[in-house]
Amino acid sequence: MGVFDFILALYSIIAGLAISVLVKGIARMIKGRDRLRLYWVHTVWLIFLFVVNVVSWFALWDLRDHPSWTALEALLLLLIPILLNAASYLSFPEGGDDNEFNFRAHYFHQAQWLQGLLLLALLSSSTAVRVIDGRWDIIAEDMLRIVIMLILLPGIVSRRPGLHTVQMIFLLLVALLALQRIVAPIGGAA
């Protein structure tokens, strides 16, 4: 097992935990749908967070040919799924299945943390790529990260519902763009 395989395995475990939290939370929402007041902005957030988790895992494959690894490079990479895992966890309320719950109130209570954690994950991703590849130019993937960060920033500082509505529309559009990464062949066949 090479160093990349080791990092990929650890990354996969952490990312898998985040995806598991999302799947379990969504299943609990379906199960308790009669007691829940769902909020479409929160639902779009969950979809976007799921897509980001999957795309970040696939993006790791691009680093498979990196010749040598440092602990700093590994930590920067592993910080991405750790932050996404925290955002996934905060996306759902604590408590049993007997509770009546309002997801609109929950979303706005957690929105600054949710969006802040995602912004930090994007910054970590951007930093990791630069440290690992030694590349400082801006490519299309960097532009996508920058666009997402610019969409997230207002939601970190404001809880205005109209702003979050606009954000989720833009994040849903970005998620559709990011899905192109998922349908592209793994390994970057040219």
Side-chain angles (χ1 to χ4, degrees):
M1 176 182 266
V3 177
F4 176 76
D5 298 321
F6 180 74
I7 294 169
L8 179 63
L10 191 51
Y11 192 105
S12 298
I13 290 167
I14 300 167
L17 290 171
I19 292 170
S20 176
V21 165
L22 288 170
V23 170
K24 181 181 177 185
I26 291 168
R28 284 180 59 209
M29 287 171 65
I30 293 169
K31 183 178 176 186
R33 65 191 171 277
D34 296 333
R35 296 181 309 279
L36 303 175
R37 290 179 46 204
L38 300 179
Y39 181 49
W40 77 270
V41 168
H42 177 261
T43 303
V44 171
W45 172 259
L46 295 176
I47 292 166
F48 185 75
L49 196 53
F50 181 81
V51 170
V52 168
N53 271 283
V54 173
V55 169
S56 76
W57 184 75
F58 272 88
L60 185 61
W61 187 252
D62 291 343
L63 301 172
R64 69 192 175 283
D65 294 327
H66 185 62
S68 63
W69 290 88
T70 67
L72 174 64
E73 293 167 343
L75 286 172
L76 284 171
L77 278 180
L78 294 174
L79 188 57
I80 300 163
I82 289 168
L83 292 166
L84 293 176
N85 194 340
S88 298
Y89 182 78
L90 288 176
S91 294
F92 297 99
E94 291 290 315
D97 292 333
D98 297 331
N99 299 337
E100 188 169 311
F101 201 79
N102 179 339
F103 277 94
R104 185 180 196 279
H106 176 75
Y107 171 80
F108 283 107
H109 180 70
Q110 299 293 352
Q112 292 171 311
W113 279 99
L114 295 171
Q115 294 189 25
L117 288 167
L118 182 53
L119 183 94
L120 288 174
L122 291 164
L123 284 171
S124 180
S125 173
S126 191
T127 303
V129 167
R130 277 149 180 71
V131 169
I132 292 167
D133 284 347
R135 167 181 77 68
W136 297 96
D137 57 329
I138 296 178
I139 60 171
E141 288 178 3
D142 297 317
M143 290 305 297
L144 187 60
R145 283 187 201 105
I146 291 168
V147 166
I148 295 169
M149 287 188 264
L150 290 173
I151 293 170
L152 292 173
L153 274 173
I156 294 171
V157 297
S158 172
R159 291 187 182 178
R160 291 185 15 227
L163 174 92
H164 287 264
T165 297
V166 171
Q167 271 188 307
M168 289 310 135
I169 291 168
F170 281 118
L171 288 177
L172 191 56
L173 293 172
V174 169
L176 293 173
L177 287 173
L179 285 174
Q180 291 177 0
R181 174 89 180 174
I182 294 172
V183 297
I186 297 174

